[in-house]
Amino acid sequence: MSKRYTVMLFDLDGTLIDTHELILASFMHTLERHCPGKYTREDVIRYMGEPLIDQMRRFDPDQAEAMVHTYREHNIQHHDEYASAFPGVVDVLHRLAEAGVKMGVVTNKQRKTAEMGLRLLGVEKLMQTVICFGETAKAKPHPDPVLTAMKRLHGKPDQTLMVGDSKYDLMAGKRAGVASALVGWSMHDSAELRALEPEYVLNSPEDLLGLAGIGPKGTS
């Protein structure tokens, strides 16, 4: 971990915010309303990380738009009830900001719920750019959102790290020509994801400090 990254881009759900149960609850509420009895939690988990409309089209292309509306209504209503920061994440983000690391969010969520999540964690002011679904020509796993965020932060590819929990994050980072880090605290960590060969697998949020050249507290 001798390389030092000056720009770090983060996925949101499953990376900074534990929204696993929120997402599943919103999906199951939606699926039971529109496709009762047809799908299980495992069916949902398989495609977590994709743009929401793409996920709904997999379940029922004819009802996809209505299902997105139902999902978002439930998700917003119950967001703060279910969502929380992963342990250690908020402290690490503050330490990265204090050390001058430029940070941004690259997510396939809509802006309203992305901003709700950042406010819940109290880190919205630490993120110098936030790229949400629909704000670039294509979403992750295409590189457009990563490239756009990197450009806004004046980052160089060899000094930029994409941090995420899904194959869509890792693929977007690789296609953008930047290093990627897979978070080991997510439910998605698996042999399949590691086979995508991320440059780093993080055991805890504190591992990001080493990648920014930041030593333990009390050291320089």
Side-chain angles (χ1 to χ4, degrees):
M1 291 193 177
S2 58
K3 190 172 180 64
R4 182 176 184 271
Y5 294 95
T6 58
V7 173
M8 292 190 179
L9 305 176
F10 298 94
D11 176 50
L12 200 54
D13 289 344
T15 299
L16 301 182
I17 305 175
D18 186 354
T19 50
H20 176 60
E21 288 303 320
L22 171 65
I23 291 170
L24 286 176
S26 296
F27 262 109
M28 295 314 298
H29 169 80
T30 301
L31 292 171
E32 284 304 306
R33 174 178 291 183
H34 294 274
C35 315
K38 290 183 65 174
Y39 297 105
T40 67
R41 287 164 61 103
E42 287 67 34
D43 295 318
V44 173
I45 290 169
R46 179 184 302 178
Y47 300 110
M48 283 172 68
E50 279 188 331
L52 184 60
I53 186 63
D54 293 343
Q55 290 173 295
M56 295 308 184
R57 285 174 180 147
R58 291 182 182 276
F59 297 121
D60 190 326
D62 294 332
Q63 298 190 77
E65 295 287 347
M67 291 166 72
V68 166
H69 177 77
T70 300
Y71 175 96
R72 286 180 172 161
E73 187 178 63
H74 183 277
N75 195 269
I76 290 169
Q77 182 178 351
H78 297 280
H79 183 278
D80 290 2
E81 174 187 343
Y82 282 97
S84 62
F86 283 106
V89 159
V90 173
D91 179 65
V92 165
L93 292 178
H94 278 283
R95 293 192 64 195
L96 290 170
E98 289 166 4
V101 176
K102 296 178 181 178
M103 295 184 291
V105 165
V106 178
T107 177
N108 279 344
K109 297 183 73 168
Q110 64 168 345
R111 177 160 290 275
K112 181 173 183 177
T113 47
E115 290 180 347
M116 286 177 68
L118 291 172
R119 284 196 300 271
L120 183 67
L121 270 58
V123 299
E124 66 271 29
K125 293 182 180 179
L126 304 184
M127 298 300 162
Q128 293 167 268
T129 189
V130 178
I131 309 293
C132 300
F133 179 75
E135 297 178 357
T136 55
K138 295 182 178 179
K140 296 181 296 184
H142 295 278
D144 296 17
V146 176
L147 292 170
T148 299
M150 184 166 59
K151 182 178 180 180
R152 288 184 182 179
L153 299 180
H154 305 289
K156 297 178 180 179
D158 64 344
Q159 296 176 355
T160 299
L161 183 68
M162 177 67 212
V163 184
D165 70 309
S166 78
K167 63 183 179 181
Y168 309 103
D169 303 317
L170 303 183
M171 292 166 67
K174 188 177 293 290
R175 291 171 178 175
V178 307
S180 60
L182 172 65
V183 301
W185 53 87
S186 169
M187 59 154 292
H188 294 302
D189 184 19
S190 66
E192 178 186 2
L193 287 178
R194 294 179 187 234
L196 294 174
E197 299 181 340
E199 279 73 14
Y200 309 96
V201 177
L202 308 176
N203 294 315
S204 73
E206 286 74 17
D207 289 344
L208 288 165
L209 300 175
L211 292 174
I214 304 170
K217 287 185 178 180
T219 66
S220 58

